Amino acid sequence: MTEKNPNSDIAGLSYEQAREQLVQVVSSLEQGNATLEESMALWERGEALAQQCEKWLSGAKARLDAALAAKKSDQA
């Protein structure tokens, strides 16, 4: 039997969606009402969401760097 990855939906989230869900995960963890198993699942989701946000930000930085480099070469 194959277990479905509960975080498989994260790859399809926009930066804003991932960030909002990460805020919700952190809030849930801070409340401290979850069981250990629930807390672990929330933490794992939070880690995956943070990685997705980092991918979006790294991609945006690469695009910005490329645009700046192109602008400099046009001015030269």
Side-chain angles (χ1 to χ4, degrees):
M1 176 179 3
T2 304
E3 279 189 40
K4 181 181 181 278
N5 180 354
N7 297 321
S8 62
D9 64 315
I10 291 174
L13 297 177
S14 69
Y15 171 77
E16 291 79 7
Q17 291 168 324
R19 185 190 64 215
E20 180 58 33
Q21 285 191 26
L22 181 56
V23 168
Q24 291 171 359
V25 165
V26 169
S27 177
S28 294
L29 286 169
E30 287 177 341
Q31 289 177 15
N33 296 328
T35 65
L36 177 59
E37 196 64 34
E38 292 167 339
S39 294
M40 290 300 300
L42 283 167
W43 180 80
E44 289 170 350
R45 184 157 183 89
E47 285 292 317
L49 287 163
Q51 288 176 358
Q52 181 67 14
C53 287
E54 183 60 34
K55 284 180 190 176
W56 275 106
L57 292 173
S58 293
K61 183 181 183 316
R63 288 175 58 194
L64 181 58
D65 289 346
L68 291 172
K71 184 177 177 182
K72 281 185 181 180
S73 68
D74 288 346
Q75 292 175 348

